[in-house]
Amino acid sequence: MSLYAVGLDEVSIIDGLVPVVIYCLTAIAVVLGLGWRSGIWRRQVMIGIPGAVVITAVGGVFDKSFNVVGYDYPSTFYVWVAVVVLCIVAAVVGWPGERAGGRVASLLAVPLSVILMGQVVNAHYAYYPTIAALSGKVSQNEATAGAVEVKKVEVKNTRILPPHGNVLEVPIPGPKSGFVARNAYVYLPPAYFADPTPELPVIMMLHGSPGDPANWTQGATADVTADAFAAANGGKVPILVTPDIGGSTNGDTECVDGPRGNVETYLMTDVMDLMHSRFNAATGPSSLAVVGLSTGGTCSLVLSLRNPDKVVAAGDYSGTVKPQLDSGDTLREVFGGDQKAFDEHDPSKILLKEQFSNLGIWFESGVDDTSAIAAQNQVAALAHKAGIETCVGTMAGGHDFTTWSRSFAVSLPWLSGRLGLTPPPAPVPTECTR
């Protein structure tokens, strides 16, 4: 029997019973792995704790000096690294004098502490919210191209729209840009399956860095949000496409045409050309919205300002003020040292020079993500002065997928309204001004 058949695929691994079990098993293994009867536990603790502190500190300094990890993370993560090191040291120190049971427990404590550390990191970001996501399932309703065609025939014969949409994994080449991208994911709403195929608008959804195109459905459950919206609107919701913006998990292009690839051209031309030709997506100035999380949020802001003839709405969830690498020289590595090109992608400079009467931007961040809140307040004030309809909101949460999932959910009715697919919400559930 498969994992999904018994209903375990949607079991949360970031809260509820699973984290409690991991904590308890690790604690039990650590306690049983200490040599209580032989007295070795004193040596295990006296050597293990200082050793864990020193090794973790050295590792942290090394990472900060040489940028091994490549992105920022909370300093509290070092505590859990130290727990892993402590378990390793305790197992090594206690091995000679331990009995068989103690040795087994001390050995088990090591992988369990690693699992615990992974669970803590994952819970912080909500990267893999369920067992299904962790095992590689990217959507509740994944489908093949063949299955989509079968469903279209069924709808043509029955005239009944399906109760939910489907997510396809789609390779999107870069003939115009030359950018070599990982496969994208496309959510096709119930309305897509009507006969004839309607011209639906598109919401392009951009992931962060590190990240990959599956993040929006796997971690942020955008397809589930879209299905719920469609169910309340006669099957209608924009098509969602989640293209690659990095080229690799740790790739950070800031979505510009530069030394790291012609990503703006890829997104605005190659991706949209395929959406039009393969999925009959709508064309015209009111048919595309771009949203993104973290780095992708900054990308959505910049792309909308640079392409106001194509983009009618944007969603900037936890983005920065301007293109900015987590580490490294953004000017040199992203723009090849070209200050003029950097300025042309800096929203604060663009918004001081131009007016955007047909554009709307939704800014949203978690209340614990103070740097993102400061960034959105700064940019939103400039956007308002530049004639943009600006919606600014905050919600409980931090820089994590739970916040981004909820940000998309609360802004989707507004995005769909801006795209002309459904009536605009009234009232809008955040502060929107023009």
Side-chain angles (χ1 to χ4, degrees):
M1 184 177 292
S2 73
L3 177 69
Y4 305 127
V6 296
L8 295 178
D9 55 324
E10 296 308 318
V11 173
S12 173
I13 58 175
I14 60 176
D15 53 30
L17 183 61
V18 171
V20 173
V21 171
I22 295 173
Y23 275 94
C24 290
L25 289 177
T26 304
I28 291 170
V30 170
V31 171
L32 294 180
L34 295 175
W36 299 105
R37 292 184 180 180
S38 62
I40 297 175
W41 68 271
R42 293 183 179 86
R43 220 158 25 109
Q44 289 174 306
V45 172
M46 294 301 291
I47 296 175
I49 292 179
V53 171
V54 171
I55 293 173
T56 303
V58 170
V61 171
F62 184 80
D63 174 51
K64 296 301 182 183
S65 300
F66 297 97
N67 191 32
V68 177
V69 174
Y71 54 91
D72 292 330
Y73 50 86
S75 57
T76 53
F77 285 0
Y78 288 120
V79 173
W80 304 103
V81 174
V83 170
V84 174
V85 177
L86 173 61
C87 290
I88 295 172
V89 174
V92 172
V93 172
W95 186 267
E98 268 282 24
R99 298 181 180 185
R103 288 179 175 179
V104 171
S106 65
L107 288 178
L108 286 175
V110 175
L112 283 171
S113 65
V114 172
I115 293 172
L116 174 59
M117 179 178 67
Q119 193 280 326
V120 169
V121 173
N122 182 57
H124 178 82
Y125 294 110
Y127 198 90
Y128 297 110
T130 63
I131 292 176
L134 184 64
S135 65
K137 189 178 181 182
V138 302
S139 167
Q140 282 194 358
N141 298 299
E142 295 176 69
T144 63
V148 167
E149 292 305 313
V150 169
K151 182 179 284 190
K152 292 186 74 172
V153 172
E154 291 177 351
V155 172
K156 182 176 182 180
N157 292 335
T158 64
R159 299 314 226 180
I160 299 174
L161 292 179
H164 59 75
N166 283 119
V167 173
L168 286 175
E169 183 176 2
V170 179
I172 303 182
K176 301 287 179 60
S177 65
F179 182 62
V180 180
R182 293 167 292 176
N183 288 352
Y185 291 88
V186 176
Y187 165 84
L188 301 172
Y192 170 82
F193 295 92
D195 182 45
T197 304
E199 293 186 351
L200 295 171
V202 171
I203 299 178
M204 183 183 295
M205 312 189 76
L206 309 179
H207 60 81
S209 177
D212 64 71
N215 289 162
W216 265 112
T217 53
Q218 192 174 53
T221 60
D223 55 316
V224 177
T225 296
D227 272 345
F229 183 81
N233 289 277
K236 292 190 293 184
V237 68
I239 296 172
L240 311 181
V241 57
T242 66
D244 184 20
I245 67 170
S248 65
T249 299
N250 290 315
D252 189 352
T253 66
E254 297 295 310
C255 303
V256 307
D257 287 353
R260 298 188 172 192
N262 296 322
V263 181
E264 181 175 354
T265 298
Y266 175 72
L267 297 173
M268 302 309 299
T269 302
D270 292 327
V271 171
M272 292 311 301
D273 282 352
L274 182 135
M275 296 304 296
H276 296 146
S277 63
R278 180 169 174 178
F279 299 107
N280 198 41
T283 59
S286 298
S287 58
L288 175 62
V290 184
V291 306
L293 57 88
S294 191
T295 297
T298 310
C299 287
S300 70
L301 171 65
V302 175
L303 288 172
S304 64
L305 296 178
R306 287 177 53 80
N307 298 275
D309 57 325
K310 299 178 180 179
V311 181
V312 70
D316 179 355
Y317 313 133
S318 309
T320 54
V321 173
K322 59 184 176 182
Q324 177 181 312
L325 298 177
D326 277 343
S327 59
D329 186 338
T330 305
L331 174 62
R332 179 177 59 83
E333 296 181 28
V334 176
F335 296 95
D338 187 340
Q339 185 63 56
K340 181 175 181 293
F342 198 171
D343 292 344
E344 290 173 349
H345 292 79
D346 183 340
S348 64
K349 291 182 170 56
I350 298 172
L351 291 168
L352 290 175
K353 294 180 179 179
E354 302 180 37
Q355 290 287 304
F356 301 86
S357 58
N358 296 318
L359 179 62
I361 303 177
W362 186 293
F363 298 90
E364 193 83 32
S365 298
V367 293
D368 297 329
D369 195 355
T370 54
S371 61
I373 291 177
Q376 74 177 24
N377 289 342
Q378 178 180 339
V379 178
L382 294 173
H384 174 64
K385 291 180 180 179
I388 296 172
E389 180 183 7
T390 56
C391 302
V392 185
T394 57
M395 61 175 61
H399 203 77
D400 57 65
F401 281 89
T402 301
T403 298
W404 298 323
S405 176
R406 294 173 59 212
S407 295
F408 176 59
V410 75
S411 59
L412 177 56
W414 177 85
L415 291 165
S416 182
R418 293 277 315 179
L419 290 166
L421 183 63
T422 54
V428 175
T430 192
E431 183 180 353
C432 294
T433 59
R434 178 179 289 281

